Amino acid sequence: MANSGYNTYHTSVKTSFALGIQEQVLPPEFINSVPRSTSKGWEDKKPEDYAGSEFAAQVEVDLDKVKTLLDERLRQMSNAFYAFARLYLTILEFIDKDNFKKIILQNRETVIDLVDNLPIDFDKDIICKFLQVSPHQFKIWKNNRFFSCSKSLVGYCTKRFPNQISQKEINTLKSLMSRKVFESWSIASIWGFGFKKGFLSMSRSSFYRYCFKLGISPKRKKYKKKRKKESIKASHPNEIWHMDITEFKTTDNKIFYVHSVLDNFSRKIVGYTIERTKRARCRLNSLRQAIKDEFKVDLNIDKEDRPNLDLIVDDGTENNNIHVRNFIRNSHVNIHKKIALKEVHFSNSMIEGNFKMLKKFLRSRGEIHSTQIQKEVDYFVRIHNEKKPTYQHQIHTPNEVHQNPELADVKPVLQKVNEERLTANRTSCCKI
């Protein structure tokens, strides 16, 4: 910039002369236009005259690399590298670092070939880091290639990788998932049934994963649930019950109400009735049945010595009326009725979830006439209580846990079966 016959130069120009890189970063015609006396003064400037001179050594090292990159002979290559680096950072930003790692993992065989076929001059460790793979992990991938097996679903030898499941279990998994009787069951319940019967030895998470690998079920969606307050949890059967009503319309357009009582600890349906109305007297039938079946208490026992029961209900008139209050007052069990989200901070979602399973089951049964509804609900309750393992108790049914509460702890069983599978795989005879 011209100013009263003098030129004012940018600080970066002065710095380039002081560091001796002016020929790499500035055009020759511009360098020649700078008076020699002026450029000589810049070159003679001592580093300690500048603030931050203590960092000069590192800067010089870095600038030496810059000098190399800015060399005219490498300009084309450096421009290509910068363009690639910008593209690489854009890809990472676009697909997320974690997703990039997943893509590399899913295509690790291609990555191995790519890195192995690089010229000798390339530092393979740097390339691995560039691909978000540690050199140690890359070595493991390469070594695993020696133990590849076409008979294995994961592609590796069973002896070398004993955690995987056998082909027999894969066939069993396919068979279980294709059975019509399990059509309305959750994947967790099917796994629990197979595991308890000794058909499977894999964990529940592995069952999910193999179902996805085999294309039997879609991949489970990962999402963050809204943080909610902790729900109530019983420590033994018949300590806490949930009571609610749901409705179902039959093919002949008749509405039926299922009045149900569910045990919190075991998830057992301890009482239910099917009525044509939601009236309080009908509501009491299921509760009266449950109390009669579950509590064998002498009516002559003092009230303070009788069993205690927390009864969780919704804020509806069918649950909160004079008939229900009178029944509770005269019951031979000390019932403490609590209204969800009103007298207690948690919801009555446990029994609502059970009703969702009921409706899913009824829909899977096709058209249901009013004359069939009782039979179908009876069948659902029997399957739920006696045949179908719950997600909460993994391999046990509600009836089993209700009668033997110690079965709620299934960790020892799962651990034992897992150890047996590892031992069997390590000693298996490969036929290939």
Side-chain angles (χ1 to χ4, degrees), residues 35-137:
R36 182 58 187 155
S37 58
T38 302
S39 62
K40 188 67 170 63
W42 295 338
E43 292 171 359
D44 293 341
K45 198 72 173 176
K46 295 179 180 179
E48 55 267 22
D49 293 340
Y50 296 98
S53 60
E54 63 272 19
F55 307 117
Q58 183 59 45
V59 171
E60 287 179 7
V61 172
D62 293 338
L63 284 172
D64 187 57
K65 297 176 182 178
V66 174
K67 286 167 66 176
T68 303
L69 288 172
L70 291 175
D71 191 288
E72 188 65 35
R73 292 166 295 180
L74 297 175
R75 188 173 294 277
Q76 252 188 340
M77 289 179 63
S78 62
N79 287 341
F81 173 76
Y82 288 134
F84 175 74
R86 284 194 294 269
L87 176 63
Y88 174 73
L89 293 174
T90 302
I91 291 173
L92 283 182
E93 184 177 351
F94 180 71
I95 66 174
D96 186 71
K97 186 176 180 180
D98 291 337
N99 287 332
F100 182 80
K101 288 183 177 180
K102 288 180 182 177
I103 292 172
I104 296 297
L105 180 62
Q106 291 168 358
N107 298 277
R108 57 179 175 267
E109 295 297 326
T110 304
V111 172
I112 294 172
D113 292 334
L114 174 68
V115 176
D116 276 349
N117 292 328
L118 288 172
I120 300 175
D121 296 338
F122 276 82
D123 188 330
K124 294 185 178 181
D125 287 354
I126 293 178
I127 299 299
C128 286
K129 290 178 181 178
F130 193 74
L131 295 172
Q132 306 290 324
V133 179
S134 69
H136 176 68
Q137 183 63 57

Side-chain angles (χ1 to χ4, degrees), residues 188-421:
S189 293
I190 297 173
W191 166 81
F193 176 85
F195 192 97
K196 185 174 66 173
K197 293 292 185 180
F199 303 149
L200 303 169
S201 64
M202 71 188 85
S203 66
R204 184 165 61 190
S205 59
S206 294
F207 193 82
Y208 287 141
R209 186 168 62 253
Y210 281 106
C211 282
F212 170 67
K213 279 180 176 288
L214 295 166
I216 297 173
S217 66
K219 190 173 183 179
R220 303 183 76 207
K221 294 181 180 180
K222 291 185 178 180
Y223 62 95
K224 290 185 178 179
K225 291 184 178 180
K226 291 183 179 179
R227 190 176 183 86
K228 58 182 181 181
K229 296 179 180 178
E230 185 178 357
S231 182
I232 191 170
K233 188 175 181 180
S235 58
H236 57 81
N238 296 332
E239 177 187 8
I240 302 169
W241 285 357
H242 299 266
M243 186 168 72
D244 203 359
I245 300 172
T246 191
E247 65 178 55
F248 181 80
K249 182 184 287 188
T250 57
T251 53
D252 51 340
N253 291 321
K254 291 184 179 179
I255 296 178
F256 289 84
Y257 296 94
V258 181
H259 302 254
S260 186
V261 183
L262 185 77
D263 180 64
N264 178 281
F265 180 82
S266 65
R267 296 337 193 237
K268 177 183 178 181
I269 299 174
V270 291
Y272 70 99
T273 56
I274 303 171
E275 310 284 354
R276 292 300 309 279
T277 177
K278 294 173 67 176
R279 288 184 302 174
R281 293 184 184 276
C282 296
R283 162 74 280 183
L284 280 176
N285 289 337
S286 59
L287 180 59
R288 185 179 290 108
Q289 173 197 333
I291 294 292
K292 179 181 178 182
D293 292 342
E294 296 298 324
F295 293 96
K296 315 298 182 185
V297 180
D298 189 343
L299 296 178
N300 295 321
I301 296 178
D302 293 336
K303 193 169 181 63
E304 56 269 16
D305 295 327
R306 295 175 184 175
N308 289 299
L309 171 67
D310 285 345
L311 183 64
I312 312 302
V313 300
D314 287 333
D315 189 18
T317 55
E318 69 276 3
N319 297 318
N320 304 280
N321 53 69
I322 189 170
H323 299 288
V324 174
R325 287 195 294 270
N326 287 338
F327 176 80
I328 291 174
R329 186 181 302 114
N330 299 321
S331 174
H332 58 279
V333 174
N334 295 328
I335 301 175
H336 309 284
K337 183 168 67 69
K338 299 176 181 180
I339 300 175
L341 298 176
K342 189 173 182 180
E343 296 178 346
V344 290
H345 68 266
F346 45 83
S347 69
N348 208 12
S349 58
M350 187 175 294
I351 194 166
E352 291 167 0
N354 186 264
F355 284 145
K356 287 181 181 179
M357 288 189 285
L358 168 63
K359 290 184 176 180
K360 181 180 179 181
F361 169 81
L362 293 175
R363 287 194 297 269
S364 71
R365 303 290 286 179
E367 295 185 354
I368 298 177
H369 192 267
S370 58
T371 57
Q372 301 172 298
I373 185 67
Q374 182 71 53
K375 178 183 175 182
E376 294 294 345
V377 174
D378 288 346
Y379 182 61
F380 167 79
V381 173
R382 184 169 64 85
I383 294 297
H384 174 83
N385 284 348
E386 302 174 13
K387 302 291 184 181
K388 181 180 173 184
T390 64
Y391 183 90
Q392 176 70 19
H393 302 301
Q394 302 199 50
I395 64 175
H396 297 302
T397 65
N399 261 9
E400 290 172 333
V401 177
H402 202 76
Q403 296 168 7
N404 301 289
E406 65 276 4
L407 293 178
D409 183 13
V410 298
K411 287 183 179 179
V413 178
L414 299 178
Q415 184 176 356
K416 179 183 177 183
V417 173
N418 182 58
E419 290 172 354
E420 290 174 351
R421 176 167 55 86

